[in-house]
Amino acid sequence: MRQQEESHIMENIIYNELITRGYNVDVGMVEIKKQDKDGKWIRVQLEVDFIANLGSKKYYVQSALSIPDREKEIQESRSLTNINDSFKKVIVVKEHIMPRRNEDGILTIGLFDFLLKEDSLDM
């Protein structure tokens, strides 16, 4: 029997919902520069799970099973905070939460809200 990872299943659910809503969906990469342990500047690529386009609308969407603490929130939003445009950035988590926006304007919503509310990306 093939092993199923919960995070991959959730990503597939989000991808399929975006396609069903008519979006063109791509995976994105953001390149940042940071210092390594020796102080040398290196380039690091961060993945954006989904870039969803529909006409003039564009959304950057990350999938996370949970964000239990500030450290995990920083990790999950790192690629999104390094995108230098004004399109909406969203993190979808598995648990049922009240939608919230952080200081960088990134919306975090629960999977059920994302799936059941057609305009969930525009909250």
Side-chain angles (χ1 to χ4, degrees):
M1 185 173 186
R2 198 172 106 177
Q3 186 178 13
Q4 299 289 328
E5 257 190 68
E6 197 171 11
S7 60
H8 293 284
I9 293 169
M10 188 167 141
E11 285 179 3
N12 286 339
I13 290 168
I14 293 168
Y15 173 82
N16 288 332
E17 181 63 22
L18 290 169
I19 293 295
T20 300
R21 292 181 186 181
Y23 290 94
N24 292 319
V25 182
D26 292 304
V27 174
M29 293 298 247
V30 178
E31 188 172 271
I32 63 168
K33 292 180 182 177
K34 72 174 205 170
Q35 285 185 310
D36 66 10
K37 61 182 176 165
D38 300 322
K40 182 179 174 186
W41 286 97
I42 58 171
R43 291 182 179 167
V44 177
Q45 287 190 332
L46 305 173
E47 184 180 84
V48 178
D49 290 336
F50 305 108
I51 302 173
N53 293 288
L54 181 63
S56 63
K57 292 183 176 185
K58 180 187 278 190
Y59 302 93
Y60 299 100
V61 181
Q62 287 291 101
S63 171
L65 287 178
S66 67
I67 300 180
D69 54 36
R70 180 70 179 141
E71 184 178 328
K72 182 69 172 174
E73 181 181 0
I74 292 168
Q75 175 190 338
E76 291 296 338
S77 63
R78 189 166 178 211
S79 62
L80 300 177
T81 57
N82 283 284
I83 297 171
N84 296 319
D85 66 27
S86 59
F87 291 107
K88 294 196 176 188
K89 296 156 181 84
V90 180
I91 300 172
V92 180
V93 296
K94 181 184 169 197
E95 63 234 12
H96 181 72
I97 62 165
M98 289 295 298
R100 64 178 183 263
R101 212 171 278 286
N102 72 8
E103 64 275 0
D104 295 312
I106 298 170
L107 173 67
T108 301
I109 60 174
L111 181 60
F112 289 119
D113 282 335
F114 170 73
L115 293 172
L116 298 175
K117 295 180 181 174
E118 190 78 22
D119 64 345
S120 60
L121 295 176
D122 290 318
M123 293 175 102

